[in-house]
Amino acid sequence: CRAAGPARRSKRQYSRCFKMTTHVRQQIRDAAVTALTNLTTTGTRVYNSRVYPMQDANLPGLRVFTPSESSHVISMGSSRTRERMLLLVVEVCVKANTAYADTADLIAKEVEIALDNNNTLGGLCKMIEPSSYEEELFGEGEHPITVGRMRFDVTYNTSKGAPDVAT
């Protein structure tokens, strides 16, 4: 890192040598949280965690997490490129006696539109596509809680030795 002067360093070399940022996976998760903040129904109640406790003050709200990823090499050589397929999960959490499914569907629509409008999350990924939706109802307590689990397939690339830089 010291051998090459600042003017001769590539973006990836600079990143590796001086300011290791977060993994692109985390950057994508953070960008998704930003893209989903201030939706009409959930407002700022968007949490970057699958285990965030959803109290009454946090509902309706969203939990965003990335539970799995797979990858494969798409170009060989010294700067090998890896294509990664990330599972992005957005949980829609609603507490209500009636119309909970309608509210969850409304929020799911807002989430999908927000991610479609920012389909590369500022250039971090190649694309985001919805892949599935499932809903669970937890009927304990005075008001049932509905959790709609939206799954999105996120495709992005990184180079060998630079998992913090999207390519």
Side-chain angles (χ1 to χ4, degrees):
C1 290
R2 292 181 183 175
R8 295 182 303 197
R9 286 189 192 103
S10 71
K11 180 179 175 185
R12 188 174 54 213
Q13 287 171 324
Y14 182 82
S15 175
R16 278 198 313 247
C17 295
F18 293 100
K19 60 166 195 153
M20 182 63 132
T21 60
T22 59
H23 196 286
V24 174
R25 178 177 44 252
Q26 181 179 345
Q27 294 174 49
I28 288 170
R29 192 172 53 247
D30 292 343
V33 167
T34 299
L36 298 175
T37 298
N38 293 319
L39 298 181
T40 302
T41 308
T42 53
T44 60
R45 296 179 300 274
V46 182
Y47 306 98
N48 191 342
S49 170
R50 79 182 308 168
V51 295
Y52 191 88
M54 298 303 276
Q55 306 298 325
D56 286 350
N58 308 114
L59 297 169
L62 301 172
R63 289 188 290 213
V64 179
F65 53 96
T66 50
S68 65
E69 179 181 272
S70 62
S71 66
H72 65 273
V73 174
I74 59 172
S75 73
M76 298 299 286
S78 61
S79 63
R80 183 177 312 146
T81 301
R82 296 178 178 122
E83 181 178 69
R84 297 173 184 252
M85 288 69 61
L86 177 66
L87 176 61
L88 173 73
V89 177
V90 179
E91 285 187 339
V92 175
C93 303
V94 176
K95 184 175 186 177
N97 276 332
T98 60
Y100 50 84
D102 293 344
T103 303
D105 286 340
L106 172 63
I107 296 168
K109 178 189 86 166
E110 293 173 2
V111 166
E112 195 166 331
I113 289 170
L115 292 178
D116 279 346
N117 287 338
N118 192 356
N119 199 251
T120 65
L121 295 174
L124 289 170
C125 58
K126 301 299 179 193
M127 67 176 181
I128 302 171
E129 287 298 320
S131 60
S132 67
Y133 178 85
E134 62 186 43
E135 197 170 273
E136 280 187 80
L137 180 64
F138 301 94
E140 302 170 8
E142 187 177 325
H143 300 285
I145 295 179
T146 299
V147 176
R149 192 165 293 115
M150 304 177 73
R151 289 183 173 85
F152 294 87
D153 294 327
V154 180
T155 304
Y156 72 99
N157 295 345
T158 60
S159 295
K160 174 185 170 187
D164 58 328
V165 179
T167 58

